[in-house]
Amino acid sequence: MTLAVFFGCTFIAFGPAFSLFIFTIARDPLRIIILIAGAFFWLVSLLLSSLIWFIAVKASDPQDERLQKGLLIFGVMFSVLLQEAFRFLYYKLLRKAIEGLVALSEDGCSPISIQQMAYVAGVGFGLMSGAFSMINLLADALGPGTVGIHGDSQLYFLTSAFMTMVLIFLHTFWGILFFHGCEHRRWWEIAAVVIMHLTVSGLSFCNPLYVGSLVPSYLLMAAAAAWAYLLSGGSAQNLRRFLLCLRSGASPQPGS
């Protein structure tokens, strides 16, 4: 049973993201480099926020529950802001990289657009975030404990897997929105990404009321996905063609 929980939660949390990697990133070495660098930037942001958290906890009174709760809220907010700050630094780095690629290319064009970089960087942020969110839980899922034996929810591992999946997708969409805001000087788009990130992270305080965190997170993911799709040049017509499996320029047959 524990093995089934392990593989089930692993496929739920990382299956869709792994599919994105295989079909859209794995065949391009440049995209793989951008993904790994994005994951590294997220990792550095986690390292710095963990350092600040460690210092704050050690310098405070561990017996003061009110203070510890306040430090926890502060730690979550600081970590989110630091992640978005490193996303901005990564955008700046990739902007410089595009200039270098254009200078080195024979036709004067970059082999990858800023929109594609934003997508790949978002996947890198999301995969590293998901790995740190889920890896310890997956290790515990192998047993020998039994979930819910003391009356707690038996859906803990399952809801954690679904939450990890939505976080990976959100980081992907946030990357597209954030880079678009930086590219076109639309600071309100950047602010919207930060607010959504703070909201999703704050919803974790609703646990163990998992409905209170999962449902709003998936609604935000749907809104961010639609927004990112439109900013990337998508349209209702293109979506209809995709759903009907139509080629470009083809028209739907009567009755379809």
Side-chain angles (χ1 to χ4, degrees), residues 79-157:
S79 178
V80 168
L81 295 176
L82 198 59
Q83 288 178 47
E84 298 306 328
F86 270 82
R87 200 193 301 272
F88 179 74
L89 292 176
Y90 193 42
Y91 162 77
K92 287 293 187 180
L93 178 65
L94 291 178
R95 209 69 191 84
K96 292 292 183 182
I98 286 181
E99 296 175 4
L101 291 172
V102 171
L104 293 174
S105 64
E106 296 180 356
D107 56 359
C109 298
S110 173
I112 185 171
S113 67
I114 191 65
Q115 291 87 355
Q116 292 171 336
M117 284 185 170
Y119 162 73
V120 177
V123 175
F125 267 63
L127 284 175
M128 187 56 69
S129 173
F132 270 82
S133 299
M134 199 64 190
I135 194 69
N136 288 333
L137 295 180
L138 290 176
D140 291 337
L142 286 173
T146 302
V147 182
I149 194 171
H150 294 298
D152 298 320
S153 174
Q154 297 184 359
L155 302 177
Y156 175 67
F157 289 119

Side-chain angles (χ1 to χ4, degrees), residues 32 43-44 67 98 116 120 124 127 145 154 180 182 214 236 238:
I32 294 177
L43 194 60
V44 174
L67 176 61
I98 286 181
Q116 292 171 336
V120 177
L127 284 175
Q154 297 184 359
H180 186 273
C182 293
L214 275 177
N238 292 339

